[in-house]
């Protein structure tokens, strides 16, 4: 988006199960400069996705899959990826207002990026064969969470995440890298009878990265925060906040 905002929200299950499928296919046309055409047949790209959501008692289930293949309009540049996501939300039967679950995404991707052209003329869409790293990668994140709220306007939430990135260059193993991120955030929110909101919380994250190319690194970040929002006689809005890291 150019100077805009993209809002992405989870599609939670409705009373009736929902299933959707999507297919797409595209063709790269010839450029105006005929000398740039390196292919005998038009390069193509295609993909497919599937989505299913349903309620199973107190359990909300969302599952989806996506596959994509791109032959690329530049020689020796291509990409393939497959992704699976599962979202689970359970509303506790014994404790009103208590819910918990986990969101998971898993993606595999293989590709060769276009890094250097052969020349600015007929070789503009042809890759320099001395710089063609083939990448095999895995991305996975698991997000367990728990929420509790009551009819007195209080809400407790705990969100956590485990995120893992693995990149393998089979022809150049010295470029392999592996990174993991651990994250947790607790937040308490209170809505009073008057138009007053209070939020307080704390978060922490730790990352650990292993690489031969740029060595191993780790980081640790912690924070606490609070925010007060109120309104005076429905005319003046007041917001006060603080965050320390």
């Amino acid at each position: 988006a150019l100077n805009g905002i993209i809002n992405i929200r989870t599609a939670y299950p409705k009373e009736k199960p929902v299933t959707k499928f999507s297919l797409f296919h595209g063709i790269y046309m010839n450029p105006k400069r005929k000398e740039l055409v390196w292919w005998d047949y038009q390069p193509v790209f295609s993909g497919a996705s599937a989505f299913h959501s349903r309620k199973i008692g107190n359990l909300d289930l969302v599952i989806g899959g996506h596959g994509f293949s791109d032959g690329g309009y530049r020689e020796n540049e291509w990409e393939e990826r497959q992704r699976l996501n599962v979202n689970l939300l359970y509303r506790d039967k014994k404790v009103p207002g208590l819910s918990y679950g986990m969101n998971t995404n898993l993606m595999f991707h293989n590709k060769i990026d276009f890094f250097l052209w052969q020349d600015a003329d007929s070789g503009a869409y042809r890759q320099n064969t001395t710089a063609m790293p083939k990448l095999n990668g895995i991305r996975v994140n698991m997000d367990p969470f728990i929420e509790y709220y009551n009819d007195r306007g209080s809400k407790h939430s705990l969100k956590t995440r485990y995120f893992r990135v693995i990149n393998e260059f089979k022809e150049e193993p010295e470029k392999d890298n592996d990174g993991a991120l651990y994250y947790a955030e607790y937040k308490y929110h209170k809505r009073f009878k008057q138009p007053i909101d209070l939020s307080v919380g704390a978060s922490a994250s730790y990352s650990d990265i292993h690489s031969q190319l740029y060595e191993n690194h780790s980081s640790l970040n912690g924070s606490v925060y609070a925010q007060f929002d109120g309104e005076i006689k429905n005319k003046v809005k007041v917001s006060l906040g603080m965050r320390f890291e």
Side-chain angles (χ1 to χ4, degrees), residues 71-190:
Y73 66 91
R74 296 182 291 193
E75 189 178 28
N76 293 316
E77 178 188 44
W78 54 269
E79 180 180 12
E80 293 180 350
R81 63 175 181 260
Q82 303 84 35
R83 187 179 72 241
L84 174 69
N85 65 280
V86 179
N87 295 354
L88 301 171
L89 172 63
Y90 185 78
R91 297 176 179 84
D92 197 281
K93 295 181 179 180
K94 298 181 179 180
V95 182
L98 177 63
S99 61
Y100 38 86
M102 184 167 69
N103 301 328
T104 303
N105 280 278
L106 174 64
M107 184 178 75
F108 299 92
H109 69 110
N110 305 311
K111 67 176 181 176
I112 294 180
D113 287 326
F114 190 94
F115 186 64
L116 291 174
W117 61 7
Q118 291 183 2
D119 54 63
D121 299 315
S122 61
Y125 288 163
R126 289 178 175 269
Q127 182 155 202
N128 189 321
T129 57
T130 62
M132 289 174 45
K134 181 180 179 181
L135 169 65
N136 297 328
I138 299 175
R139 306 283 188 273
V140 59
N141 69 274
M142 294 183 291
D143 301 346
F145 63 89
I146 182 170
E147 292 184 346
Y148 172 73
Y149 65 90
N150 57 38
D151 54 7
R152 296 187 296 275
S154 296
K155 180 180 179 180
H156 302 264
S157 67
L158 176 64
K159 298 179 180 180
T160 62
R161 163 166 287 189
Y162 169 71
F163 178 54
R164 182 80 178 272
V165 175
I166 301 174
N167 293 317
E168 293 183 349
F169 299 83
K170 292 186 177 181
E171 298 174 358
E172 300 174 285
E174 68 277 4
K175 295 182 179 180
D176 291 356
N177 55 82
D178 183 350
L181 171 70
Y182 305 86
Y183 176 80
E185 178 181 12
Y186 167 77
K187 183 170 69 173
Y188 171 75
H189 176 251
K190 174 70 173 179

Side-chain angles (χ1 to χ4, degrees), residues 42-81:
Q42 303 297 142
V44 300
F45 60 89
S46 58
S49 62
F51 165 85
H52 179 74
S53 67
R54 67 185 302 125
K55 289 181 177 291
I56 307 174
N58 283 33
L59 176 68
D60 288 0
L61 170 66
V62 178
I63 185 170
H66 175 77
F68 177 71
S69 178
D70 184 4
Y73 66 91
R74 296 182 291 193
E75 189 178 28
N76 293 316
E77 178 188 44
W78 54 269
E79 180 180 12
E80 293 180 350
R81 63 175 181 260

